[in-house]
Amino acid sequence: MLRTLIVRRPVLMLSLSLLSLLLLQCGGNLFAVSEDVRLGKQISEQINSNPSEYPILKDASTRQYLQNMVNEILRSPKVRYRGQFAYKVQVVHDDETLNAFATPGGYIYVYTGL
């Protein structure tokens, strides 16, 4: 029983983190959608061009697992900008960092430490 909880806890934490990131999109938006898309793409390009600080994990199955979780949440009719934002998941290979973040425009980053 304890082993099951230990194994499932990271998955639960990750699920809750992704859910909270996406639920933020359900609220109001202070900027035009086009500005969010432009800014998000710009930040994503900066992150991807800085592998020393943000080493992106190349494991497609891990990324797809998380993307499937996001896609499931996106099926909710309450998620705004579903067709306008990227909602693209990247995994940052850093086992020491227990974190995830999202940029404008739907770019989602999850650390392997989470």
Side-chain angles (χ1 to χ4, degrees), residues 29 36 41 45 48 58 74-75 79 86 95 108-109 111:
N29 194 350
D36 277 350
K41 185 174 181 179
E45 288 170 357
N48 289 325
K58 303 297 184 203
L74 288 173
R75 289 188 183 100
V79 176
D95 294 340
I108 302 166
Y109 295 86
Y111 286 82

Side-chain angles (χ1 to χ4, degrees), residues 53-114:
E53 190 170 348
Y54 301 100
I56 301 299
L57 186 69
K58 303 297 184 203
D59 181 6
S61 64
T62 300
R63 193 203 61 77
Q64 189 58 55
Y65 176 79
L66 296 172
Q67 186 67 55
N68 289 342
M69 292 172 65
V70 169
N71 293 344
E72 185 68 30
I73 294 168
L74 288 173
R75 289 188 183 100
S76 167
K78 297 187 181 222
V79 176
R80 290 186 180 178
Y81 315 115
R82 168 177 42 227
Q84 296 163 301
F85 290 165
Y87 294 109
K88 179 181 177 187
V89 176
Q90 295 279 351
V91 181
V92 180
H93 192 194
D94 180 351
D95 294 340
E96 300 300 315
T97 302
L98 304 172
N99 203 1
F101 66 93
T103 70
Y107 296 89
I108 302 166
Y109 295 86
V110 179
Y111 286 82
T112 54
L114 189 61

Side-chain angles (χ1 to χ4, degrees), residues 1-15:
M1 177 72 170
L2 181 59
R3 186 170 199 282
T4 302
L5 289 175
I6 291 170
V7 171
R8 289 187 182 173
R9 185 170 181 216
V11 173
L12 177 62
M13 297 288 288
L14 181 58
S15 298

